């Protein structure tokens, strides 16, 4: 069968290519290209803000936020350090030095919703049930560290009840509808990926909502951490997530 058929791949590029092959998923995937000078120029001109990330990596490590200001000034931030440039060539040269010939991707930047002036995204957990059916078992908000560009828990992000975060922007009714929409998107993605990656048992779909409340799939993690849900006061989701996790991942 080979590795592509039997195992979830770590490559963000291969997972992105797999996702955009599905017409019902493609509209929710931000434009993503390989890092090079031509792609950087065209995408920063078109979108104004980008995320540049390692093709293979976890916990938000190595992610860079890049921006164009006033058509001529450029800047990027990595961790808490922000660097500015007054020409595209110097901007690209510096980024190329950071990337250092490793495989990086450029992704259209999404202007995420904020809570208390901090960006947040949403992790939707989708798992195989003990009856071998795909289920959306948990949804949690991830609030970015005030000075960082990523929301990952292992990089200073704070897990927060999703209703609290969405409550800053929409009614309780609309919040419930949005959660349902994101759960359904997660299920479509899990079933689609499972056709190729037949040993898939669970995915974490990281979704960002833009200012118009459109969901964007920032990343799909084939080995999501179930323990993030233990950070919530209400342990109902955590108990279900961990029960399914133990059933599928730790069978004798």
């Amino acid at each position: 069968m080979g590795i592509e058929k039997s195992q979830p791949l770590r490559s963000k590029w291969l997972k992105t290519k797999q996702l955009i092959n599905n017409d019902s998923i493609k509209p929710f995937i931000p434009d993503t290209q390989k890092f090079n000078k031509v792609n950087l120029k065209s995408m920063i001109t078109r979108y104004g803000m980008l995320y540049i990330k390692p093709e293979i990596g976890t916990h938000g490590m190595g992610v860079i936020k890049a921006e164009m200001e006033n058509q001529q000034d450029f800047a990027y931030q990595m961790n808490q350090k922000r660097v500015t440039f007054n020409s595209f060539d110097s901007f690209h040269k510096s980024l190329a030095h950071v990337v250092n010939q490793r495989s990086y991707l450029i992704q259209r930047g999404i202007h995420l919703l904020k809570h208390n002036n901090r960006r947040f995204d949403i992790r939707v957990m989708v798992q195989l049930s003990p009856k071998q059916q795909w289920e959306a078992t948990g949804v949690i908000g991830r609030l970015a560290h005030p000075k960082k560009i990523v929301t990952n828990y292992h990089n200073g992000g704070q897990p927060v009840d999703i209703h609290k975060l969405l409550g800053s922007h929409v009614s309780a009714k609309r919040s419930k509808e949005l959660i349902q929409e994101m759960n359904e998107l997660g299920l479509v993605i899990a079933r689609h990926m499972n056709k190729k990656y037949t040993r898939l048992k669970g995915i974490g779909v990281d979704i960002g909502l833009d200012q118009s409340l459109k969901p964007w799939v920032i990343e799909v993690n084939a080995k999501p951490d179930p323990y993030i849900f233990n950070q919530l006061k209400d342990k109902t989701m955590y108990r279900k997530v961990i029960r399914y996790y133990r059933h599928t991942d730790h069978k004798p």
Side-chain angles (χ1 to χ4, degrees):
M1 283 170 60
I3 189 167
E4 287 200 16
K5 267 289 186 185
S6 62
Q7 296 179 9
L9 294 177
R10 296 169 62 207
S11 164
K12 295 179 178 71
W13 179 243
L14 292 179
K15 282 186 284 188
T16 299
K17 289 206 297 184
Q18 170 75 353
L19 292 172
I20 62 176
N21 279 338
N22 184 303
D23 288 342
S24 62
I25 299 171
K26 187 176 180 179
F28 303 99
I29 308 298
D31 186 7
T32 304
Q33 306 292 337
K34 290 269 194 172
F35 177 87
N36 60 45
K37 189 172 185 178
V38 172
N39 288 342
L40 180 65
K41 182 71 178 285
S42 65
M43 290 181 73
I44 198 78
T45 303
R46 182 173 184 182
Y47 301 119
M49 192 262 281
L50 309 170
Y51 282 93
I52 301 166
K53 54 179 72 174
E55 181 180 346
I56 297 174
T58 57
H59 306 323
M61 304 298 289
V63 175
I64 304 162
K65 180 182 180 182
E67 296 174 281
M68 180 175 72
E69 301 160 349
N70 310 319
Q71 304 298 313
Q72 58 189 15
D73 296 325
F74 300 86
Y76 71 79
Q77 181 179 340
M78 188 173 182
N79 296 319
Q80 297 184 38
K81 184 180 179 183
R82 180 177 166 89
V83 195
T84 58
F85 305 88
N86 58 13
S87 76
F88 174 78
D89 284 341
S90 58
F91 168 68
H92 167 259
K93 185 177 180 181
S94 181
L95 278 171
H97 179 73
V98 172
V99 168
N100 192 25
Q101 298 185 331
R102 291 168 293 179
S103 183
Y104 266 65
L105 304 179
I106 308 172
Q107 187 179 74
R108 173 186 176 178
I110 305 302
H111 293 279
L112 299 177
L113 293 185
K114 294 182 179 182
H115 177 78
N116 292 339
N117 211 33
R118 292 163 64 182
R119 288 183 297 274
F120 70 87
D121 64 12
I122 297 123
R123 163 66 59 89
V124 175
M125 192 80 158
V126 185
Q127 296 172 282
L128 271 181
S129 74
K131 294 182 179 179
Q132 298 298 292
Q133 300 293 319
W134 285 105
E135 281 186 38
T137 51
V139 57
I140 191 170
R142 306 188 310 172
L143 195 59
H145 182 283
K147 295 181 180 179
K148 292 195 177 182
I149 59 172
V150 295
T151 61
N152 305 68
Y153 177 55
H154 298 277
N155 215 317
Q158 178 186 351
V160 180
D161 186 309
I162 185 60
H163 296 280
K164 181 178 180 180
L165 297 180
L166 292 179
S168 305
H169 301 275
V170 295
S171 67
K173 180 176 181 290
R174 183 67 182 119
S175 178
K176 188 176 180 180
E177 291 170 353
L178 280 169
I179 291 167
Q180 182 63 27
E181 289 170 24
M182 291 186 285
N183 282 341
E184 288 174 2
L185 180 57
L187 285 167
V188 171
I189 290 170
R191 292 176 185 134
H192 176 67
M193 290 187 70
N194 193 214
K195 292 174 185 175
K196 183 169 185 177
Y197 308 133
T198 55
R199 295 186 187 177
L200 203 62
K201 296 166 184 174
I203 59 171
V205 184
D206 295 336
I207 295 176
L209 294 173
D210 67 16
Q211 306 302 310
S212 66
L213 302 177
K214 176 179 175 173
W216 292 93
V217 178
I218 297 167
E219 200 166 309
V220 176
N221 189 329
K223 287 192 175 291
D225 178 6
Y227 297 100
I228 186 176
F229 291 92
N230 198 28
Q231 301 294 316
L232 298 175
K233 285 184 179 179
D234 184 340
K235 304 298 180 186
T236 309
M237 272 192 291
Y238 172 68
R239 285 194 289 267
K240 184 171 189 177
V241 166
I242 208 70
R243 178 163 58 89
Y244 282 22
Y245 174 75
R246 287 173 176 162
H247 181 85
T248 55
D249 281 35
H250 298 283
K251 285 183 177 179

